[in-house]
Amino acid sequence: MGNAAHRSHVLIVEDDAKLASALVSGIEAEGYAASLATSAEEGFFLLHSGRPDLMILDVTLPQRSGIDLLRQLRKERVDVRVLMLTSHNTIEDRVEGLRTGADDYLGKPFSFPELLARIEALLRRTLPQENSHEVRVADLCLNTKYRTGTRAGSTLELSQREFDLLLYLAENAGRIVSREMLARDVWKETSRFTPLDNVIDVQIARLRKKIDDSHSVKLLQTVRGLGFALREPQA
């Protein structure tokens, strides 16, 4: 049974209308939030705009395959658990899916209880620890109770807005966060007619100076055309 308290968000990328409808209904009945995309491109958009905790991804999709989408997500180091759900179920298919970056692989036809069990197992790896007041990314640590931050043990002098912005980036560590997401979730501005991009860019620049300037490893990165990501560069 799903953990309704966390209301984890599952994105389903499936072009079979009957199966997609059954998956959405079944997953929502277990207490999860569910959204549906019927193509890889729609899935890519919803992944960046909706920030799901887990994606159920078909391989055979119109125009562009699920494997191609998965390859792009892993190349961009998008932090989302991916469960492949597909009729391509030979050993070679499963190996390709897992090596491309899937976290789990389930062939069709499948048992819905088994699918739920796999969803629960994947989400257990990503849900935050209850009663913890700390959010960590590499050597960056934020205390949500006292609203303080340190990097490599040194205190960061953050304004309230900078703390909110950094916390949002840290809670989405590894994911690309768009300016639209920041405007909506940090500035609480829902109208896109209010120009905030310049304000966001200025705040990001200030934040980058405070957390990265004195360190050789840069955590706050600009992803051209998409937004920003807080993540530790891979070797």
Side-chain angles (χ1 to χ4, degrees), residues 34-84:
S35 56
L36 173 65
T38 57
S39 68
E41 293 305 327
E42 187 181 7
F44 182 80
F45 173 78
L46 292 180
L47 182 64
H48 285 93
S49 61
R51 298 182 292 117
D53 300 289
L54 183 146
M55 179 167 65
I56 296 176
L57 179 62
D58 191 10
V59 169
T60 305
L61 295 167
Q63 299 176 340
R64 186 183 180 195
S65 76
I67 288 291
D68 283 346
L69 173 59
L70 178 61
R71 186 174 293 113
Q72 179 183 358
L73 297 179
R74 292 320 185 206
K75 182 179 180 181
E76 296 178 356
R77 289 185 280 158
V78 176
D79 183 24
V80 62
R81 299 289 176 186
V82 176
L83 192 164
M84 304 295 296

Side-chain angles (χ1 to χ4, degrees), residues 128-149:
Q129 297 298 312
E130 294 183 0
N131 301 321
S132 172
H133 297 298
E134 289 188 350
V135 179
R136 291 180 176 273
V137 180
D139 57 357
L140 174 71
C141 178
L142 298 178
N143 186 304
T144 58
K145 182 176 181 179
Y146 299 108
R147 294 179 61 81
T148 58

Side-chain angles (χ1 to χ4, degrees), residues 210-228:
K210 290 185 177 183
I211 69 171
D212 277 346
D213 268 11
S214 60
H215 297 272
S216 58
V217 175
K218 310 302 182 186
L219 298 179
L220 182 51
Q221 300 167 18
T222 298
V223 183
R224 182 174 298 179
L226 293 176
F228 310 96

Side-chain angles (χ1 to χ4, degrees), residues 18-176:
K18 185 176 180 179
L19 175 58
S21 177
L23 286 171
V24 170
S25 298
I27 287 171
E28 286 185 336
E30 292 296 318
Y32 300 105
S35 56
L36 173 65
T38 57
S39 68
E41 293 305 327
E42 187 181 7
F44 182 80
F45 173 78
L46 292 180
L47 182 64
H48 285 93
S49 61
R51 298 182 292 117
D53 300 289
L54 183 146
M55 179 167 65
I56 296 176
L57 179 62
D58 191 10
V59 169
T60 305
L61 295 167
Q63 299 176 340
R64 186 183 180 195
S65 76
I67 288 291
D68 283 346
L69 173 59
L70 178 61
R71 186 174 293 113
Q72 179 183 358
L73 297 179
R74 292 320 185 206
K75 182 179 180 181
E76 296 178 356
R77 289 185 280 158
V78 176
D79 183 24
V80 62
R81 299 289 176 186
V82 176
L83 192 164
M84 304 295 296
L85 183 64
T86 173
S87 57
H88 294 257
N89 197 31
T90 66
I91 292 176
E92 291 78 12
D93 291 330
R94 296 198 294 274
V95 168
E96 180 186 17
L98 293 169
R99 283 183 169 169
T100 301
D103 298 287
D104 199 357
Y105 201 104
L106 182 60
K108 299 175 182 176
F110 61 95
S111 156
F112 194 71
E114 181 181 2
L115 174 65
L116 287 176
R118 290 176 184 246
I119 289 172
E120 291 166 11
L122 288 172
L123 289 176
R124 278 198 296 271
R125 304 181 196 172
T126 58
L127 291 174
Q129 297 298 312
E130 294 183 0
N131 301 321
S132 172
H133 297 298
E134 289 188 350
V135 179
R136 291 180 176 273
V137 180
D139 57 357
L140 174 71
C141 178
L142 298 178
N143 186 304
T144 58
K145 182 176 181 179
Y146 299 108
R147 294 179 61 81
T148 58
T150 61
R151 179 151 187 211
S154 298
T155 300
L156 300 171
E157 298 296 336
L158 302 171
S159 68
Q160 293 299 308
R161 179 71 77 190
E162 289 167 348
F163 182 86
D164 290 340
L165 177 57
L166 184 55
L167 178 60
Y168 186 81
L169 291 165
E171 289 177 335
N172 291 278
R175 296 176 178 175
I176 298 173

